[in-house]
Amino acid sequence: MLSPPASLTYIYSASPNMRKLLFLLLWLPLLCYAQTGAIKYPAPTEADFSLKNYAFESGEKLPELKLHYTTIGQPRKDAKGRVANAVVIMHGTTGSGEQFLSEQFAGNLFGPGQVLDAAKYYIILPDAIGHGQSSKPSNGLRMRFPKYSYNDMVTANYRLLTEHLGVAHARLVMGTSMGGMETWVWGYRYPDFMDALMPLASLPVEIAGRNRMLRKMAIDLIQMDPAWQGGNYTTQPRTGLAGAISSLIFMTSSPYQMQKAAPTRELAEAALDKRRTQLLTSLDANDFIYQFDASRDYDPAPHLTKIKAPLLAINSADDQVNPPELAILEQEIKKVPKGRYILLPISDLTVGHGTHSHPALWGHYLKELLTLSEKQ
């Protein structure tokens, strides 16, 4: 395990005012670079891939499983004729690959000279099963849709890469939150497939404790709403979905940032109302149930010794989904032969669980990982 750099340890132990000043000095060059305007990179391309008669691990089947994906850049082949520059980035629960096209993320990673310069790398952003524009319950099957899992997501994406995109080996596999958990699964299920792994905002153990309780409460709240009608609703079961959204808001919250942004009762309630309205208009109740339950059998812990590629796991200290006081990663990372763990301390710049989508805070670690794995 690699501890945070001495500079971060010093900053974390400093007084609050000194800590703010030191963090500003440390990150200012990165933040200024990120805000110099739209950074140019090759235009994203969207497409679909269909898997016929797809069999899920549950034993259920779909006549056709559609996987939507976005690519940026072009594949480049090595002397042996294999694609050598593929980078796979996987999104979190309820999200899609499109979220990585934001200025906050792409603007700090994909531009000229940046860590994942899209002129150099072939970036692949899949929509996971049940998410985005890939096949999902709300397409028509509702609660008759196969009960997919994270393993199904990884298997489907592996087939997308190998059977459709011609990628037999990846330079990097990484992901945020649910995508981070998929990254752990990729590592032990396909240990020779990648040069490097970077799971963000995740833990490589069974979803249990408060994490599972919050997910189960969210699912139960939807299903207890009479308007859900066993999944056969014609309009969204608003009461149950609003209750489920409460779990989601809490899980992804940052107490420090919320207090700064909403220091009065009026501001807090207005912010809550705005966020809840956004989610009520963008989420589907059945999709939500499946998305939250897909982690039910996730548990990489017994398989971590199988991971061969250098792996760098990054979490933030204000992450309510993966609270550092559990001390899980400190123990589990010891099982990964080439594993390292970085815990970003709470600062004015971290935003709780969502820190995973702020590469201005962890991009230098990604650069270090790519340099290290280049030598393997």
Side-chain angles (χ1 to χ4, degrees), residues 13 43 69 86 89 117 130 138 171 196 263 280 295-296 313 323:
S13 62
Y69 65 95
I89 308 179
D117 185 340
S138 60
R171 180 68 183 87
L280 280 169
S295 63
R296 64 191 174 278

Side-chain angles (χ1 to χ4, degrees), residues 99-112:
Q99 71 190 54
F100 296 123
L101 302 180
S102 69
E103 179 65 19
Q104 172 184 289
F105 195 90
N108 282 286
L109 284 183
F110 302 160

Side-chain angles (χ1 to χ4, degrees), residues 60-220:
E60 300 166 283
K61 293 184 178 180
L62 265 185
E64 181 180 30
L65 174 67
K66 184 184 81 169
L67 296 177
H68 186 78
Y69 65 95
T70 300
T71 60
I72 308 171
Q74 296 296 322
R76 298 181 187 276
K77 296 183 179 180
D78 60 19
K80 297 180 180 179
R82 72 175 190 176
V83 176
N85 65 336
V87 171
V88 184
I89 308 179
M90 297 166 293
H91 62 79
T93 305
T94 76
S96 71
E98 183 182 15
Q99 71 190 54
F100 296 123
L101 302 180
S102 69
E103 179 65 19
Q104 172 184 289
F105 195 90
N108 282 286
L109 284 183
F110 302 160
Q114 293 182 333
V115 181
L116 294 179
D117 185 340
K120 176 180 178 182
Y121 292 104
Y122 180 45
I123 300 166
I124 304 164
L125 312 173
D127 287 359
I129 298 172
H131 294 71
Q133 297 182 56
S134 291
S135 295
K136 54 190 176 183
S138 60
N139 291 153
L141 286 178
R142 303 184 182 218
M143 296 303 291
R144 291 180 288 112
F145 194 87
K147 304 299 186 290
Y148 62 82
S149 67
Y150 289 177
N151 286 348
D152 290 311
M153 293 177 180
V154 170
T155 300
N157 282 339
Y158 176 79
R159 293 186 62 183
L160 165 67
L161 267 67
T162 58
E163 298 177 20
H164 181 61
L165 296 177
V167 176
H169 190 86
R171 180 68 183 87
L172 169 70
V173 174
M174 64 180 286
T176 62
S177 191
M178 178 183 77
M181 290 187 275
E182 290 176 73
T183 301
W184 293 100
V185 176
W186 267 97
Y188 73 79
R189 292 193 72 167
Y190 305 105
D192 297 310
F193 186 83
M194 70 292 294
D195 293 333
L197 295 154
M198 188 171 177
L200 290 143
S202 65
L203 296 174
V205 295
E206 179 180 3
I207 302 294
R210 186 182 68 175
N211 194 335
R212 179 58 191 178
M213 291 179 190
L214 286 167
R215 292 168 188 262
K216 186 64 166 62
M217 285 191 292
I219 293 169
D220 290 348

